[in-house]
Amino acid sequence: MKKMKRWKIKEVLRQGEEQDEVIIMGWVRTRRDSKGGFSFLEINDGSCLKNLQVIADHSIDSFDLISEKLHTGSCVGVTGELVQSPGKGQSVELQAKSIKVYGKADPDQYPLQKKHHSFEFLREIAHLRPRTNTFGAVMRVRNRLSYAIHNFFQGRGFVYLHTPIITTNDCEGAGEMFQVTTLDPGSIPMVGGKINYSQDFFGEKTGLTVSGQLEGEVYAMALSEIYTFGPTFRAENSNTSRHLSEFWMVEPEMAFYDLEDDMNLAEDFLRYLFKDVLEHCPEDLEFFNKQIDKTILARHQEIIDNKFERISYSEAVQLLEQSKKNFIYSVEWGSNLQSEHERYISEEVFKKPVIIYDYPEEIKPFYMKGNDDGKTVRAMDVLLPKLGEIIGGSQREDDYNVLINRMETKNLNSDDYHWYLDLRRFGSAPHAGFGLGFERLVQFVTGMENIRDVIPFPRTPKNARF
Amino acid sequence: MKKMKRWKIKEVLRQGEEQDEVIIMGWVRTRRDSKGGFSFLEINDGSCLKNLQVIADHSIDSFDLISEKLHTGSCVGVTGELVQSPGKGQSVELQAKSIKVYGKADPDQYPLQKKHHSFEFLREIAHLRPRTNTFGAVMRVRNRLSYAIHNFFQGRGFVYLHTPIITTNDCEGAGEMFQVTTLDPGSIPMVGGKINYSQDFFGEKTGLTVSGQLEGEVYAMALSEIYTFGPTFRAENSNTSRHLSEFWMVEPEMAFYDLEDDMNLAEDFLRYLFKDVLEHCPEDLEFFNKQIDKTILARHQEIIDNKFERISYSEAVQLLEQSKKNFIYSVEWGSNLQSEHERYISEEVFKKPVIIYDYPEEIKPFYMKGNDDGKTVRAMDVLLPKLGEIIGGSQREDDYNVLINRMETKNLNSDDYHWYLDLRRFGSAPHAGFGLGFERLVQFVTGMENIRDVIPFPRTPKNARF
């Protein structure tokens, strides 16, 4: 028997024309019964935000047998005729000829009944929340942004690189890392009062990567332009709406780029992503603009239409010192900018994205290239209004001797970085790169307040469920 | 000062025309001096396999100052005139007007001198091997295959899903997992003779994922068609040319697919990938066909041109029993097929890709859908000649009671899987999926014998360097 092709609801609604016979499959969002012997079913299959309305005449074959299984959450296949819909907001509706129930959802037990559910509650049922409008839309937007990232870099000839997840080095020289081991915690092998890692799986102490940058530099020094897009980890005990213990990061790294090239790329990149998602997810973005944050669409358009402001760290500190704001953290040259400072500059001073560059050397990692002033390094951060930092990057120190000195100042053991230093010993080149926290991007694009609501299964302190 | 745009060597060679002034940047692969006062430099920038030949007249500005820095491995920028090349195998060459040396490479110390290096040796310098022809080509092919995977699924409306890396569950019910922890191994907290995981970062025992399938099913039950493409881990002590401790896997999962749909998708998918890489990486594939394995191109074409053979596990066992081969492992109905068996069937019996389906229930995981015979499950493996299994998949058990029974038989605690079982309690649907080991695919496409040579930084027992 030749199987009939299933139509996705997105296709059905997009073509918008009458059809003698189509088959759709999906989940019942709501059911409403009319006195005239009809049931109206709203069906969603995740291919788009909108439901397809199905009209089931109670006289169709065996309706009485399936009727009790047709509830919110049930999974069905419907064969029927597509007709023009008299209702508002939909082009066509489906007049059922036959309905098959694949799986029911007992209304006394299924948690997603038609009513408002808080995001906190939905986090507790992270395995069911993709069946809601909000989380379906978040995941479609997340998907499109992921693809747009690949399209952007592939279009420019960058090579996608899978840097290692399990690693023996700590890129930042300061990150809090998860340990990866196969040692039995109940009987850790010791030698000379120390843990004997030679008996661990990799023969030494290993952890989860905090960044693929150092390995990215290896490949930039051979293939010129690369990018990573993979999971990274922080074992920080931060329970905030902006932190995850496991998150995805995009890290391009480019030979022959200086800091200005790096900033140009970052700006082109963000503008490309906003344009792309507006073009490909208009329905989902309108939903967010209506339900979550009424300023999203306007802000996206602003980013697309305007050049980013660029100011030095020293200028930023001046602006902050001159402002009349009461900041929680005070600012002076040499201190880290806090989220409140970054937001003040982008939201209140410039009212658009801002790139701050040339940060004090002391507050930045060892690998950033020094400026001639001897005080600052070629670092840059891209700040978005409402969100703060979304991208951090720098030109890298490409001089072997300078880098060795910097590592000494920062108390790093150069033996641990012999291969990284080799990149400066053999065929060194000016190069630069940046990192974009992917979930922060999805947060900004969707307007979702809590970062736990823009990743399928969030990992945070005391939570690795599902 | 406006910077001149750098040309990539790929662009220079592709356009193939004379140009008054271009600037290229890259690494010297070889240098040859002529008696007539010229040096010939072969420059590679990783954008393609081919080098660009640069001719440096020793009379150009300050050549005497830079000459001693121009060696294999040096990094240079060259401005000059593109002229038609009299030499074979190249359309144009660059007559240098000026050369800038970004970084030298002392010939007494740089390990990649012009001579043959074994892959074993190159693995020891994994931070420099991308600068060789072979590893440059591997990474360009790997990049293209990654992108083709996204293009394939995005073109069909699948949603890209990031399933968690850190997890509390073990998909296969039997995998050897790495543990992830922030407990100090020197002082593990105990309570009642057991490790007190409530003090660990996530409050319970966590490990690195062996598969994203279970979480993939969650999203297929909401968005219909999803795919993952992310790192997975096995803490198996296997030191073979086919095993990595950290590898990338692609796992599509589709609602409303039965096993036949699943096999059709797998076949379409592989054919698409082979077509795509042939079209986009012809130069690199010809290199592999010449240097690594002279049968690659012919085998790729075969896969593109022929339908895959499909036979049941029972038929496969019959073929093996009837064969005159001396297998190391004997075969009888109910036993696992070994690599030698799989290769015999695809290489010798059918001489093309083969899909084997309907495996004995006892040798397969709990989540596969049972057939009516009560003995077999709707599993399938795709076998490629020379490689063996590249894809494994199945239709999933979607009946709550059958699944519960299966879990009991396999001694699994259903409480650990409450959310997975909920997918069968609420709106269950027939669904199926498969997993493709990405590095195996890259191995097959490039002909590289050792899986450690198709991933940037391989992780294997006792090795997590770089």
Side-chain angles (χ1 to χ4, degrees):
Chain A
M1 189 190 74
K2 181 114 177 67
K3 280 185 265 190
M4 248 183 87
K5 185 190 159 288
R6 167 191 169 224
W7 285 54
K8 292 195 189 183
I9 289 174
K10 183 179 182 173
E11 295 161 356
V12 168
L13 295 175
R14 189 195 281 150
Q15 63 96 40
E17 309 216 330
E18 306 205 332
Q19 300 285 340
D20 282 351
E21 189 161 277
V22 301
I23 179 161
I24 61 111
M25 299 171 188
W27 290 267
V28 177
R29 282 289 175 84
T30 60
R31 170 185 177 165
R32 183 167 56 82
D33 292 337
S34 85
K35 288 177 187 147
F38 291 93
S39 290
F40 297 90
L41 306 170
E42 292 282 329
I43 310 291
N44 189 286
D45 67 1
S47 64
C48 59
L49 184 75
K50 281 210 179 79
N51 305 320
L52 179 66
Q53 176 158 282
V54 168
I55 296 135
D57 187 326
H58 293 178
S59 68
I60 63 171
D61 233 20
S62 59
F63 185 85
D64 47 339
L65 290 174
I66 58 165
S67 177
E68 58 158 339
K69 296 182 191 163
L70 285 178
H71 288 293
T72 294
S74 303
C75 184
V76 296
V78 183
T79 311
E81 184 181 351
L82 269 188
V83 298
Q84 294 300 320
S85 173
K88 267 214 302 189
Q90 61 202 7
S91 51
V92 286
E93 58 189 30
L94 186 63
Q95 286 186 335
K97 292 176 190 165
S98 73
I99 298 178
K100 182 175 167 59
V101 179
Y102 291 114
K104 56 186 181 172
D106 184 340
D108 295 334
Q109 300 199 33
Y110 186 55
L112 286 177
Q113 296 305 320
K114 195 191 171 178
K115 61 169 186 177
H116 178 75
H117 302 286
S118 73
F119 292 146
E120 290 75 15
F121 170 74
L122 292 173
R123 254 170 253 148
E124 297 298 309
I125 49 167
H127 62 305
L128 298 174
R129 68 178 184 172
R131 303 181 186 188
T132 63
N133 279 339
T134 304
F135 288 93
V138 165
M139 291 308 152
R140 281 187 298 271
V141 166
R142 188 180 164 107
N143 168 67
R144 183 65 216 181
L145 286 169
S146 299
Y147 191 45
I149 286 165
H150 286 296
N151 287 338
F152 176 81
F153 287 118
Q154 295 289 335
R156 291 173 177 235
F158 284 53
V159 171
Y160 179 35
L161 186 72
H162 293 122
T163 48
I165 310 301
I166 298 171
T167 181
T168 55
N169 59 43
D170 170 359
C171 171
E172 303 285 329
E176 295 184 70
M177 284 178 83
F178 289 104
Q179 192 172 348
V180 173
T181 182
T182 54
L183 293 178
D184 176 358
S187 63
I188 300 284
M190 306 293 285
V191 58
K194 286 187 166 179
I195 296 148
N196 183 4
Y197 281 114
S198 75
Q199 289 190 32
D200 205 349
F201 190 88
F202 293 110
E204 55 187 317
K205 191 177 178 184
T206 51
L208 291 178
T209 186
V210 296
S211 162
Q213 180 199 316
L214 304 194
E215 290 92 352
E217 288 185 54
V218 165
Y219 273 79
M221 290 297 105
L223 307 178
S224 299
E225 293 169 326
I226 64 92
Y227 69 106
T228 73
F229 186 5
T232 48
F233 306 85
R234 295 287 149 81
E236 249 177 87
N237 205 359
S238 301
N239 253 312
T240 82
S241 62
R242 288 162 46 90
H243 289 89
L244 290 168
S245 309
E246 173 181 316
F247 56 100
W248 285 67
M249 192 140 72
V250 182
E251 296 183 283
E253 188 74 32
M254 302 75 64
F256 315 115
Y257 277 51
D258 61 18
L259 185 63
E260 195 194 339
D261 300 326
D262 201 32
M263 292 193 282
N264 291 342
L265 185 75
E267 189 171 338
D268 288 351
F269 179 49
L270 285 177
R271 197 169 287 122
Y272 177 94
L273 295 180
F274 284 103
K275 243 185 187 157
D276 182 277
V277 75
L278 266 186
E279 188 183 327
H280 288 93
C281 303
E283 191 192 23
D284 290 321
L285 289 186
E286 271 160 37
F287 169 81
F288 290 118
N289 200 62
K290 208 171 143 193
Q291 299 290 335
I292 305 292
D293 176 347
K294 299 200 191 315
T295 68
I296 295 176
L297 286 177
R299 272 194 284 136
H300 291 5
Q301 200 58 50
E302 266 170 34
I303 291 176
I304 294 169
D305 292 342
N306 293 295
K307 269 198 80 63
F308 294 8
E309 193 69 35
R310 296 186 189 184
I311 60 169
S312 71
Y313 168 87
S314 299
E315 290 170 298
V317 169
Q318 239 174 17
L319 286 170
L320 292 164
E321 284 173 342
Q322 289 162 2
S323 91
K324 307 247 165 2
K325 286 283 262 199
N326 271 324
F327 294 117
I328 299 167
Y329 295 90
S330 68
V331 179
E332 55 180 20
W333 201 97
S335 62
N336 266 310
L337 301 185
Q338 303 295 327
S339 183
E340 55 174 346
H341 308 136
E342 296 175 340
R343 291 187 55 172
Y344 169 74
I345 288 173
S346 64
E347 273 165 48
E348 301 191 37
V349 181
F350 295 106
K351 299 181 176 61
K352 62 175 177 172
V354 177
I355 309 184
I356 301 182
Y357 58 89
D358 285 351
Y359 281 81
E361 185 266 328
E362 279 170 39
I363 59 171
K364 289 292 181 182
F366 73 97
Y367 50 71
M368 297 186 176
K369 190 163 182 70
N371 279 310
D372 293 339
D373 63 13
K375 294 188 304 182
T376 60
V377 289
R378 295 186 188 164
M380 63 99 175
D381 282 352
V382 182
L383 317 179
L384 294 185
K386 284 243 177 193
L387 187 85
E389 185 196 329
I390 190 161
I391 279 179
S394 67
Q395 186 173 338
R396 319 305 188 187
E397 186 52 72
D398 54 348
D399 184 290
Y400 181 82
N401 292 317
V402 174
L403 190 58
I404 283 274
N405 285 336
R406 188 71 48 83
M407 292 174 77
E408 272 169 24
T409 315
K410 304 256 179 196
N411 291 316
L412 295 171
N413 181 356
S414 60
D415 290 348
D416 295 344
Y417 294 87
H418 67 93
W419 56 271
Y420 186 69
L421 287 163
D422 270 2
L423 303 177
R424 280 74 180 168
R425 286 173 72 203
F426 305 126
S428 187
H431 62 291
F434 62 77
L436 167 121
F438 182 59
E439 280 74 18
R440 295 242 172 118
L441 175 72
V442 183
Q443 261 192 296
F444 187 83
V445 168
T446 58
M448 295 295 286
E449 282 224 343
N450 196 314
I451 200 164
R452 295 161 205 221
D453 296 333
V454 297
I455 189 167
F457 301 96
R459 268 71 183 107
T460 51
K462 303 296 174 208
N463 173 39
R465 287 184 304 141
F466 304 103
Chain B
M1 189 190 74
K2 180 113 176 73
K3 280 185 267 190
M4 250 183 87
K5 186 189 158 288
R6 166 188 169 225
W7 286 54
K8 292 197 189 182
I9 289 175
K10 184 179 182 174
E11 294 163 356
V12 168
L13 295 175
R14 189 196 281 150
Q15 63 97 38
E17 308 216 333
E18 305 205 335
Q19 299 285 341
D20 282 349
E21 188 161 279
V22 302
I23 179 161
I24 62 111
M25 297 171 190
W27 290 267
V28 176
R29 283 288 174 85
T30 61
R31 168 184 178 167
R32 184 167 55 81
D33 290 337
S34 86
K35 288 177 189 147
F38 291 93
S39 289
F40 297 90
L41 305 171
E42 293 281 330
I43 311 290
N44 189 286
D45 68 1
S47 64
C48 60
L49 183 74
K50 280 211 180 77
N51 305 320
L52 178 65
Q53 176 159 283
V54 168
I55 296 134
D57 188 325
H58 293 177
S59 67
I60 63 170
D61 234 18
S62 59
F63 185 84
D64 46 340
L65 290 172
I66 58 164
S67 178
E68 58 159 340
K69 295 182 192 163
L70 285 177
H71 287 293
T72 296
S74 302
C75 183
V76 296
V78 183
T79 311
E81 185 181 350
L82 269 188
V83 299
Q84 294 300 319
S85 173
K88 269 213 301 191
Q90 61 203 9
S91 51
V92 285
E93 59 189 29
L94 187 63
Q95 285 186 337
K97 292 177 191 162
S98 74
I99 299 178
K100 183 176 166 58
V101 178
Y102 291 114
K104 58 187 180 168
D106 185 340
D108 294 334
Q109 300 199 34
Y110 187 55
L112 285 177
Q113 297 305 319
K114 195 191 172 178
K115 61 170 188 177
H116 180 74
H117 301 287
S118 74
F119 291 145
E120 288 76 14
F121 169 73
L122 291 173
R123 255 170 251 148
E124 297 298 309
I125 50 167
H127 62 306
L128 299 175
R129 69 178 185 173
R131 303 181 187 189
T132 63
N133 279 339
T134 305
F135 288 92
V138 165
M139 291 308 152
R140 282 187 298 272
V141 166
R142 187 180 165 107
N143 169 66
R144 183 66 217 181
L145 286 168
S146 299
Y147 192 43
I149 287 164
H150 286 296
N151 287 337
F152 176 81
F153 288 118
Q154 295 289 335
R156 290 172 178 235
F158 283 54
V159 171
Y160 179 36
L161 186 71
H162 293 123
T163 48
I165 311 300
I166 298 171
T167 180
T168 54
N169 59 42
D170 170 0
C171 170
E172 302 285 328
E176 295 183 69
M177 283 178 86
F178 289 104
Q179 193 172 346
V180 174
T181 181
T182 54
L183 293 178
D184 176 0
S187 64
I188 300 283
M190 306 292 286
V191 58
K194 285 187 167 178
I195 295 147
N196 183 3
Y197 281 113
S198 74
Q199 290 192 32
D200 205 349
F201 190 89
F202 294 108
E204 55 186 317
K205 192 177 177 184
T206 51
L208 291 177
T209 184
V210 297
S211 162
Q213 179 199 315
L214 304 194
E215 290 92 353
E217 288 184 53
V218 165
Y219 273 79
M221 290 298 105
L223 307 178
S224 298
E225 292 170 325
I226 64 91
Y227 68 108
T228 72
F229 186 6
T232 48
F233 306 85
R234 297 286 148 82
E236 250 178 85
N237 205 359
S238 301
N239 252 311
T240 82
S241 62
R242 288 162 45 91
H243 290 89
L244 290 169
S245 309
E246 172 180 317
F247 56 99
W248 285 67
M249 192 139 74
V250 181
E251 296 183 283
E253 188 74 33
M254 301 76 63
F256 314 115
Y257 277 50
D258 61 18
L259 185 63
E260 195 193 341
D261 300 324
D262 201 32
M263 293 193 281
N264 291 343
L265 184 74
E267 189 172 338
D268 289 351
F269 180 47
L270 285 176
R271 196 169 289 123
Y272 177 94
L273 295 180
F274 283 104
K275 244 185 185 156
D276 182 277
V277 75
L278 267 186
E279 188 183 328
H280 288 94
C281 303
E283 192 192 23
D284 290 322
L285 289 185
E286 271 159 38
F287 168 82
F288 290 118
N289 201 62
K290 208 172 144 193
Q291 299 290 335
I292 304 291
D293 177 346
K294 297 197 191 320
T295 67
I296 296 176
L297 286 177
R299 272 194 283 136
H300 291 5
Q301 200 56 52
E302 266 171 35
I303 291 176
I304 294 169
D305 293 341
N306 293 295
K307 270 199 79 65
F308 295 7
E309 192 68 36
R310 296 185 189 184
I311 59 170
S312 71
Y313 167 87
S314 300
E315 290 169 299
V317 168
Q318 240 175 16
L319 285 171
L320 291 165
E321 284 173 341
Q322 288 162 2
S323 92
K324 307 244 164 8
K325 284 284 260 200
N326 270 325
F327 293 116
I328 299 167
Y329 296 89
S330 67
V331 179
E332 54 180 19
W333 201 97
S335 63
N336 266 311
L337 300 186
Q338 303 294 327
S339 183
E340 55 174 345
H341 309 135
E342 296 175 341
R343 291 187 55 173
Y344 169 75
I345 288 173
S346 63
E347 274 165 48
E348 301 189 37
V349 180
F350 295 106
K351 298 182 176 62
K352 63 175 177 173
V354 177
I355 308 183
I356 302 182
Y357 58 88
D358 285 352
Y359 281 80
E361 186 265 329
E362 279 171 40
I363 59 171
K364 290 289 181 185
F366 73 96
Y367 50 72
M368 296 185 176
K369 189 162 184 72
N371 279 309
D372 293 339
D373 63 14
K375 294 188 306 181
T376 61
V377 288
R378 294 186 189 164
M380 64 99 173
D381 282 351
V382 182
L383 316 179
L384 293 184
K386 284 243 174 190
L387 188 86
E389 185 195 330
I390 190 161
I391 279 178
S394 67
Q395 186 173 338
R396 320 306 188 185
E397 185 52 72
D398 54 347
D399 184 290
Y400 181 83
N401 292 317
V402 175
L403 190 59
I404 284 274
N405 285 336
R406 188 70 48 83
M407 291 173 77
E408 272 170 23
T409 315
K410 304 257 181 195
N411 291 315
L412 295 171
N413 182 355
S414 60
D415 290 347
D416 295 343
Y417 294 87
H418 67 94
W419 56 271
Y420 186 70
L421 288 163
D422 270 1
L423 303 177
R424 281 73 180 169
R425 285 173 73 203
F426 304 125
S428 188
H431 62 290
F434 62 77
L436 167 118
F438 182 59
E439 280 74 19
R440 296 242 172 117
L441 175 72
V442 183
Q443 262 193 295
F444 187 83
V445 168
T446 59
M448 295 295 287
E449 281 223 343
N450 196 314
I451 200 165
R452 295 161 205 220
D453 296 333
V454 298
I455 189 167
F457 300 96
R459 269 70 182 107
T460 51
K462 303 295 172 209
N463 174 40
R465 287 184 303 141
F466 305 104

